[in-house]
Amino acid sequence: MAVGLVALALAAAAPAARADDPGRWLMTGASSVPVTYWQGLTSDPSKERIFFVGVFEGLWRTTPRLRQTAGVDSAIPPEVKATEGYNHIGDPTWDPGEGGRVLLPLECYSPDLGNTCGTGSFGVADPSTLGFRYYVKLDPAEIPKAMWAEASPDGRLVWTSSGADLLAYRSSDISPANAAPAAAPIRAVRRLPGAVPPSGVTGAVFRRGRLFLAGESAAGHQIWSVDTDTGQRRLELELTLCGESEGLDVISTLGGPLHWLIAPFDEGCELSFGPTGALLHLARRPGRDRLRVRVLSVAGPISRLTAAVRVTRLGRPVRGARVRFAGRRGRTAENGVARVSARLALPGRFAALARKGRRYGLSRLVAVGDAPTAVRAARDGGG
């Protein structure tokens, strides 16, 4: 079925950036992901695989363009649940050890009671079968639960947090030799006191050597980055929206290298991305904002769509501008219009990003497929 959307009729502005936002990142899209992808994500870029976890303990695998290829409703074996009480997986990480593995942060969680067992572990899952291999407990004297995990770029450490501190464990300690329940818990080999941002941590990923941490607080939804050598941190992005901050990942797809999972849960506001939540696609701001970009139409099914995008400056068409839409590229002709073809597995809302020299422009988000017809910024009423 054709999409055939006109930008002026269906476009909605991205959730508003707050006054404290440093302006480093642009939202280029928001894919409507299943509720079962609620908790977090990680990826194996070498084999172009993305792994999602949720709602509480499922594990799912997709292509970079989010076509699901495998999944299990419960990645935690019954015997592990019976022994430890674990029933919740947080934001996972990809680790190159043992030929490649997905590390699953495990905890006992009840919406009414919170952490019910006082311990956390790293589970190890097979990326091909999604089967559970084993788990390694973390010393409860250092950490009461494992909410997220992120492997360092060199693969030697796995980071997580306890209270206000960042903790790192040797990847080599996450091994069958230390598998629970027979082996003793492992201990952290590094601690960065007070390095957790004021918005807390719901998910993490390394980018260009810095540890990016997503979270939310009364100040808003934020992403901070931390230098894990010094503990120094800086604000990368701040948005006003309605939804629960979850995992982060870095993989080049769907219009950006950085992706932020927003779950469909938040009290006292209208959900910004509808009842399923969204995976936000973020790109670095490429230069000075001088181009006007408008999506004229989007035609065709999401599996094979074409977007017509016009780029102008001072009212005149811009020829030769590079245009990206939903992760695909085009270039404007003499009339300032580019046609970009893309293949998507899930509906969403996407913006066209155009660049020529040091000038750039970003269109409004337009609906593609059965995405919610409005993206609203909650709390401040923006949109």
Side-chain angles (χ1 to χ4, degrees):
M1 181 176 63
V3 179
L5 302 178
V6 178
L8 286 179
L10 294 177
R18 294 172 61 92
D20 294 336
D21 181 70
R24 294 189 175 95
W25 294 88
L26 303 171
M27 187 195 302
T28 59
S31 293
S32 298
V33 296
V35 174
T36 48
Y37 295 180
W38 187 319
Q39 296 295 333
L41 73 160
T42 190
S43 60
D44 169 19
S46 67
K47 293 187 178 181
E48 297 191 328
R49 300 179 293 188
I50 298 178
F51 303 89
F52 289 89
V53 296
V55 173
F56 286 104
E57 54 184 284
L59 179 59
W60 318 90
R61 189 176 67 230
T62 76
T63 67
R65 301 190 75 77
L66 305 182
R67 179 177 63 85
Q68 187 172 302
T69 58
V72 293
D73 292 321
S74 179
I76 306 174
E79 58 270 24
V80 176
K81 291 183 184 180
T83 302
E84 306 291 351
Y86 297 143
N87 64 350
H88 186 277
I89 303 172
D91 189 39
T93 188
W94 173 261
D95 181 73
E98 300 178 13
R101 55 189 185 171
V102 182
L103 300 185
L104 309 174
L106 304 176
E107 64 170 318
C108 310
Y109 176 75
S110 167
D112 297 324
L113 302 175
N115 180 18
T116 57
C117 66
T119 69
S121 292
F122 291 146
V124 178
D126 186 291
S128 298
T129 67
L130 304 185
F132 194 90
R133 293 177 179 171
Y134 60 91
Y135 68 105
V136 173
K137 293 192 73 170
L138 311 180
D139 191 336
E142 297 179 317
I143 182 171
K145 57 182 178 177
M147 298 181 293
W148 60 275
E150 182 58 29
S152 62
D154 61 10
R156 295 181 178 180
L157 297 174
V158 175
W159 289 87
T160 189
S161 61
S162 178
D165 302 344
L166 292 177
L167 276 66
Y169 298 81
R170 290 191 187 93
S171 297
S172 58
D173 286 343
I174 306 170
S175 68
N178 289 323
I186 63 174
R187 293 185 59 84
V189 295
R190 287 201 58 198
R191 180 184 288 266
L192 291 176
V196 169
S199 49
V201 185
T202 62
V205 70
F206 273 96
R207 183 179 187 271
R208 296 185 177 178
R210 295 182 67 88
L211 181 59
F212 279 53
L213 302 171
E216 62 178 295
S217 67
H221 288 61
Q222 298 176 333
I223 297 177
W224 294 73
S225 69
V226 175
D227 182 330
T228 54
D229 290 330
T230 65
Q232 176 269 338
R233 66 184 181 229
R234 72 182 182 209
L235 182 64
E236 296 284 341
L237 173 68
E238 185 170 284
L239 294 176
T240 298
L241 54 85
C242 183
E244 188 171 82
S245 172
E246 296 294 350
L248 282 179
D249 191 40
V250 166
I251 184 173
S252 182
T253 188
L254 295 170
L258 183 61
H259 310 273
W260 188 3
L261 189 61
I262 303 296
F265 178 80
D266 210 344
E267 295 182 352
C269 57
E270 183 180 356
L271 293 171
S272 297
F273 303 101
T276 66
L279 184 64
L280 308 188
H281 312 301
L282 305 166
R284 287 284 291 184
R285 187 179 297 273
R288 296 177 296 175
D289 185 359
R290 291 291 186 273
L291 302 178
R292 183 183 179 189
V293 184
R294 179 182 167 195
V295 179
L296 302 177
S297 64
V298 180
I302 61 172
S303 60
R304 194 172 184 178
L305 61 85
T306 300
V309 180
R310 174 173 289 161
V311 182
T312 59
R313 182 171 183 262
L314 302 178
R316 298 179 180 178
V318 176
R319 177 187 179 187
R322 292 172 291 172
V323 175
R324 292 189 178 188
F325 183 82
R328 298 306 191 197
R329 300 180 182 182
R331 193 175 289 270
T332 55
E334 189 73 31
N335 62 356
V337 176
R339 298 190 181 277
V340 183
S341 298
R343 294 176 181 268
L344 301 175
L346 296 174
R349 299 186 68 84
F350 292 89
L353 177 63
R355 184 176 182 181
K356 186 170 184 181
R358 297 188 64 187
R359 296 186 175 95
Y360 85 95
L362 184 72
S363 77
R364 288 172 171 260
L365 294 167
V366 297
V368 175
D370 297 325
T373 56
V375 176
R376 302 182 185 277
R379 301 194 181 106
D380 67 349

